[in-house]
Amino acid sequence: MKKKTLLIEIGTEELPSRFLYTMSLCFYQNFKKELKSYNILYKKIKHFFTPRRLALKISDIDTSDRILKINKKGPSIIDAYDKDGKPTDAAKRWANYCGISIDQASHFKNKKGEWLLYQAKKKQEKIEILLPKVIETALKKIFIPKSMRWEITNKKFSRPIRNIVILLDNHIVQGKVFDIDSHNFLQNHLCYKEKKIKINNAQEYPSILFEKNNIIADYEIRKKTITKEINTIAEKINGFTKDNPSLLEEVSSLVESPKAFLATFEKKFLKIPKKILVYTIEKQQKCFSIYDDKKKVLPYFIFICNIHSKLYKEIILGYQRVMHARLSDAEFFFTNDRKIKLEDYLLSLKKVLFQNNLGSLYEKTMRLQSLIKWVAKYSCSDKKNSSRAALLSKCDLVTNMVCEFPELQGIVGMYYALEDQETKDIAIALKEQYLPSYSGDKLPYTLIGCSLSIADKIDTLSGMFSIGNIPTADKDPFALRRLAIGILRIIIEKKIPLDLKMLIKKSLFLYDEKYTKNSILYDKIINFFIIRLFNWYEEKGYNINIIKSVFSYKLTQPIDIDKKIQALSFFQKLHYSKSIILSIKRISNILEKQNEKISGEININLIKKTEEITLFHTIENFDKFTKDLFKEKKYKEVLLKTKELEKPIYNFFDKIKIYHSDLNIRKNRLILLHKIIKIFSKITNFSYLY
């Protein structure tokens, strides 16, 4: 076995930072799959990437020649020969495809029968010939949201590919990838005169890049380097930077030769609301804010340059000029917006379309005001303040600040509301109305925020369904699935006793009363919610049979569904749960075999045997004890109490003959069993759990 180190580097034009990590990971995974398909062995693979390169370094790859074993299964012997023993057309076609005659085929047997088999051995192409094909296939299989075509070759990738390096130790693997010849010259940093860096051996990667021009190809090392530098700089001015993983990851994907610098901005900009100031510095300019020990923003920022230069003073001045311009814009918009109160922007919403056929943002605001009063009854949020929050909820959308920085919607509303002396809960609700904004995002903290978020999301969702903008299997342009999950998460995690059926009907009524009579529209929306909720539990790892059992009852109150799923998941882990479930199965099977429906009350006078008397009293006591528990939806406590039924049910089956010769006694005993099933059916359909 010949083991070598393989290096592959794909030099490109500047790749988009937000897709860079995913692209590198896909390249790595695709390449592994391709190697596996050719049965090529190796020790490990490490992937590297910068904005201008994707690279793989494979340790101890087996480069020895390989013999491939070919096994091609043919038709069964029954189908391969006719009654006279002559090959059928199916057998002939198969043999022709394999390039053999029927006589050259062997046979093999398994449990299902006997089959024709073609076996052969052939020499696999040398690894030097295979590698360019494998690399190009791995690159082409990368999912790229938006790709580019370039030059006359019309090749397609995220950005034009300009350079290919394929090295096996010190040997250059000759070949073409995307019509570019491979060699042993790495792509250099964009800012250097020398366009290439010669590499003599695959082992030298990635250290040679750093030694030549401070290029850090390893993403994790790049992140650590940046983190260390910004912390060191911040400490020098007695400050610190807050953890911001998304900013750190984006900046690490924007540079390949990182160098951190400290810059300043004018103190007057500290008057800009903190969130807006930080947004401008971090989101707009991709720089790091610095805070003092009281968590106040200092008039400094740290930026990451993509080059190590002696002219660093000019670079700092350049960044400061750009930052000054951006903060001046923010200051101007803020000052201009504050000439009137937030509420005064309300009428301007009449000129802004919410959605075709759904009216303006002003009309949406009016619907939210009505809807939130109804939601507030269940969320226990203050009705008056909730209504006020709904009235102000969309006002910031027409401010200069949000028009310039759309991502600040809600945050701007919160600051402006506080400036107008609105209560803190109302102001915070304006920010929280858009939460959760993505999978796993935090939920609103305030009760008003929860109410407003639910009202806003259901208004959008029911409105979109009413005009036919319904998500398909592969398209959801209005993110309605995300809105549905957001509503469900708030209801469940904040324990708001809302019924989806009532919520949908209330929302549809506010659009048009006729929609509440449209059962097809209502069913589409409720089914959309139920499917989302079912998938949500499945993704969280709950037992699929428990989910199916609860959902089979077509419940529409998320809290009730959640409590039952939680209780059954807990119950399933109890040592006696299997015994109880098997008893339910046995009782159900007995009752299903009856020709007539079992109903009516138990005749106490017909209960004679000790075991059935004990079971009867246990059921009676169980019913009394759990009556309030069922009302309060304390299903876990109910299921714990079922332990008391285990032994009486067992003794009943062990000692009592159900099919008594006296038909009245037989029916009485069946009614007793039916009463047990009625108790358990209040919780779920246990037939899914057998």
Side-chain angles (χ1 to χ4, degrees):
M1 187 183 287
K2 299 175 185 176
K3 293 182 179 180
K4 295 184 179 181
T5 299
L6 171 64
L7 171 68
I8 301 158
E9 188 189 82
I10 313 300
T12 68
E13 291 188 12
E14 204 87 10
L15 294 165
S17 61
R18 67 184 185 278
F19 302 129
L20 192 48
Y21 181 84
T22 305
M23 285 174 63
S24 176
L25 192 61
C26 283
F27 182 35
Y28 160 76
Q29 290 170 339
N30 294 344
F31 189 77
K32 276 178 69 176
K33 287 176 186 175
E34 292 300 313
L35 289 185
K36 188 177 180 181
S37 69
Y38 287 103
N39 200 26
I40 298 172
L41 304 176
Y42 58 89
K43 186 177 180 181
K44 69 174 182 178
I45 302 178
K46 185 159 176 59
H47 65 113
F48 304 89
F49 63 90
T50 76
R52 300 185 69 241
R53 72 195 77 237
L54 298 173
L56 299 173
K57 187 176 180 180
I58 302 93
S59 303
D60 293 346
I61 189 166
D62 182 10
T63 61
S64 55
D65 293 338
R66 295 182 172 279
I67 302 298
L68 291 179
K69 289 181 180 179
I70 300 169
N71 290 307
K72 291 184 180 178
K73 181 183 169 185
S76 67
I77 298 300
I78 296 169
D79 296 327
Y81 299 96
D82 61 20
K83 61 183 178 181
D84 299 321
K86 293 180 179 179
T88 60
D89 288 341
K92 288 175 183 177
R93 283 195 300 272
W94 172 77
N96 187 51
Y97 170 74
C98 294
I100 59 169
S101 65
I102 292 290
D103 297 336
Q104 292 173 294
S106 56
H107 296 185
F108 85 99
K109 290 182 180 180
N110 61 19
K111 291 179 181 178
K112 294 182 179 179
E114 192 173 2
W115 313 79
L116 289 177
L117 179 68
Y118 167 59
Q119 289 182 309
K121 291 180 180 180
K122 77 169 186 177
K123 199 172 181 180
Q124 184 172 279
E125 288 180 298
K126 287 185 176 292
I127 196 166
E128 287 88 346
I129 297 169
L130 284 174
L131 280 173
K133 299 176 188 175
V134 169
I135 294 164
E136 185 158 331
T137 303
L139 287 168
K140 284 179 176 177
K141 286 183 178 178
I142 296 173
F143 172 72
I144 300 168
K146 289 184 179 179
S147 53
M148 290 178 66
R149 296 181 186 274
W150 67 94
E151 296 177 355
I152 57 171
T153 58
N154 210 28
K155 293 291 182 180
K156 192 178 178 185
F157 197 61
S158 177
R159 293 293 183 270
I161 294 173
R162 300 301 188 193
N163 194 64
I164 303 291
V165 172
I166 312 174
L167 274 181
L168 269 171
D169 283 349
N170 59 355
H171 170 67
I172 301 169
V173 177
Q174 301 291 343
K176 285 182 180 286
V177 177
F178 280 72
D179 288 335
I180 299 169
D181 290 315
S182 60
H183 48 71
N184 65 332
F185 287 91
L186 304 169
Q187 187 163 271
N188 200 355
H189 194 289
L190 191 64
C191 297
Y192 287 89
K193 288 180 182 179
E194 299 82 14
K195 300 298 179 187
K196 308 284 183 182
I197 298 172
K198 187 177 181 181
I199 180 168
N200 295 314
N201 195 303
Q203 298 281 8
E204 297 174 3
Y205 199 88
S207 57
I208 191 170
L209 291 172
F210 185 74
E211 289 164 9
K212 292 285 184 181
N213 285 320
N214 295 296
I215 296 169
I216 304 174
D218 190 309
Y219 171 71
E220 292 301 327
I221 293 175
R222 215 159 52 241
K223 269 208 308 185
K224 286 176 184 175
T225 302
I226 291 169
T227 303
K228 185 179 178 181
E229 287 196 20
I230 61 175
N231 288 339
T232 301
I233 290 171
E235 283 172 12
K236 285 180 180 178
I237 56 168
N238 297 318
F240 70 94
T241 58
K242 288 184 179 178
D243 286 340
N244 190 337
S246 60
L247 176 61
L248 180 60
E249 284 162 17
E250 186 174 5
V251 170
S252 298
S253 295
L254 282 168
V255 298
E256 61 180 10
S257 181
K259 179 64 180 172
F261 292 100
L262 179 69
T264 62
F265 59 83
E266 291 182 41
K267 288 183 179 180
K268 67 173 184 175
F269 294 128
L270 294 174
K271 293 178 183 178
I272 300 170
K274 184 178 175 181
K275 287 268 186 184
I276 298 171
L277 177 62
V278 170
Y279 175 87
T280 307
I281 294 170
E282 298 185 357
K283 287 280 187 180
Q284 292 285 314
Q285 298 306 116
K286 315 300 179 195
C287 298
F288 295 87
S289 307
I290 304 176
Y291 302 81
D292 63 17
D293 55 2
K294 294 179 181 176
K295 296 184 180 180
K296 290 183 179 178
V297 180
L298 294 171
Y300 299 95
F301 65 93
I302 298 170
F303 65 90
I304 309 300
C305 188
N306 192 29
I307 189 170
H308 292 242
S309 172
K310 293 177 182 178
L311 303 174
Y312 66 90
K313 289 182 180 178
E314 285 82 348
I315 294 170
I316 293 170
L317 286 171
Y319 266 86
Q320 287 180 170
R321 279 195 292 270
V322 173
M323 186 65 76
H324 179 85
R326 297 305 290 166
L327 293 177
S328 294
D329 288 345
E331 182 188 43
F332 172 77
F333 295 137
F334 177 70
T335 305
N336 242 25
D337 286 342
R338 296 314 300 141
K339 288 178 180 177
I340 59 174
K341 288 189 172 185
L342 183 62
E343 186 180 2
D344 295 333
Y345 288 98
L346 183 63
L347 294 179
S348 299
L349 295 176
K350 290 183 177 182
K351 300 173 186 176
V352 183
L353 186 68
F354 166 50
Q355 177 67 29
N356 284 332
N357 304 315
L358 293 181
S360 66
L361 281 176
Y362 179 83
E363 290 169 287
K364 180 181 176 72
T365 302
M366 296 301 106
R367 288 194 302 272
L368 291 183
Q369 260 203 304
S370 298
L371 190 54
I372 201 169
K373 289 174 185 174
W374 182 81
V375 173
K377 291 188 294 183
Y378 298 91
S379 66
C380 300
S381 60
D382 183 272
K383 275 191 185 180
K384 185 179 177 182
N385 286 346
S386 296
S387 177
R388 181 68 178 168
L391 185 75
L392 299 173
S393 62
K394 305 302 171 188
C395 289
D396 68 337
L397 297 181
V398 287
T399 61
N400 290 299
M401 187 68 78
V402 174
C403 288
E404 181 67 17
F405 306 131
E407 286 184 46
L408 288 176
Q409 63 178 9
I411 293 171
V412 168
M414 177 187 72
Y415 277 114
Y416 290 3
L418 290 171
E419 292 260 334
D420 293 339
Q421 306 301 311
E422 299 287 350
T423 66
K424 190 177 178 181
D425 276 359
I426 290 173
I428 292 172
L430 302 187
K431 182 184 77 169
E432 292 183 331
Q433 65 181 301
Y434 300 106
L435 297 176
S437 58
Y438 56 84
S439 177
D441 191 17
K442 63 183 178 182
L443 299 182
Y445 177 75
T446 63
L447 292 175
I448 299 174
C450 290
S451 302
L452 186 56
S453 180
I454 291 170
D456 184 37
K457 288 172 173 59
I458 192 62
D459 177 79
T460 299
L461 197 145
S462 56
M464 289 298 182
F465 267 77
S466 70
I467 59 173
N469 285 339
I470 301 171
T472 59
D474 59 339
K475 289 184 180 179
D476 185 13
F478 301 102
L480 301 187
R481 290 187 182 93
R482 190 186 72 203
L483 296 184
I485 286 293
I487 292 169
L488 292 166
R489 279 188 61 204
I490 293 169
I491 290 174
I492 291 168
E493 293 179 38
K494 297 294 182 178
K495 296 180 171 49
I496 301 171
L498 267 172
D499 191 307
L500 292 174
K501 179 169 62 180
M502 299 300 294
L503 180 65
I504 293 164
K505 284 184 176 179
K506 184 70 179 176
S507 181
L508 288 172
F509 176 81
L510 292 170
Y511 272 103
D512 196 320
E513 190 177 350
K514 68 179 181 183
Y515 289 143
T516 58
K517 298 170 185 175
N518 187 336
S519 60
I520 295 173
L521 174 61
Y522 165 77
D523 287 343
K524 281 181 180 177
I525 301 174
I526 197 75
N527 288 337
F528 182 74
F529 269 103
I530 296 302
I531 291 168
R532 298 285 77 69
L533 189 56
F534 188 101
N535 293 341
W536 186 62
Y537 281 115
E538 196 174 6
E539 286 167 11
K540 285 170 80 72
Y542 286 93
N543 185 298
I544 191 69
N545 292 326
I546 288 176
I547 301 169
K548 285 179 180 178
S549 74
V550 174
F551 277 75
S552 67
Y553 278 4
K554 300 189 183 301
L555 303 170
T556 55
Q557 194 176 86
I559 278 192
D560 200 21
I561 293 170
D562 186 67
K563 284 184 175 180
K564 287 187 174 184
I565 287 176
Q566 300 297 341
L568 287 164
S569 299
F570 165 79
F571 175 68
Q572 206 173 43
K573 295 173 185 175
L574 299 175
H575 65 89
Y576 61 85
S577 64
K578 286 183 181 179
S579 171
I580 295 290
I581 290 169
L582 286 173
S583 295
I584 297 168
K585 182 182 179 181
R586 187 174 181 181
I587 295 168
S588 297
N589 289 339
I590 291 168
L591 295 175
E592 282 171 12
K593 288 176 184 175
Q594 305 311 308
N595 294 324
E596 58 177 316
K597 188 178 179 182
I598 305 300
S599 60
E601 293 298 318
I602 295 169
N603 187 338
I604 300 170
N605 297 321
L606 293 175
I607 300 175
K608 305 292 184 184
K609 298 275 186 178
T610 304
E611 288 77 16
E612 62 180 328
I613 293 169
T614 301
L615 181 58
F616 172 74
H617 287 306
T618 305
I619 292 169
E620 289 287 298
N621 291 334
F622 184 89
D623 248 351
K624 289 175 185 175
F625 184 83
T626 59
K627 191 175 181 181
D628 289 335
L629 292 178
F630 273 113
K631 283 181 182 177
E632 295 165 16
K633 302 186 189 302
K634 292 182 177 179
Y635 303 115
K636 189 183 285 187
E637 287 82 349
V638 172
L639 287 166
L640 282 168
K641 192 74 176 169
T642 60
K643 177 74 172 75
E644 295 175 9
L645 291 166
E646 184 186 18
K647 195 172 181 181
I649 292 173
Y650 174 82
N651 291 336
F652 178 83
F653 279 123
D654 189 45
K655 303 291 183 181
I656 302 298
K657 185 179 178 182
I658 296 167
Y659 295 105
H660 197 276
S661 57
D662 186 326
L663 293 178
N664 290 323
I665 293 174
R666 179 195 296 186
K667 186 177 180 181
N668 206 49
R669 287 173 180 173
L670 289 170
I671 291 171
L672 187 64
L673 294 179
H674 183 257
K675 191 157 186 179
I676 296 170
I677 289 297
K678 272 184 76 177
I679 289 169
F680 284 101
S681 65
K682 289 180 188 178
I683 303 168
T684 194
N685 185 345
F686 275 85
S687 66
Y688 287 89
L689 306 180
Y690 299 161

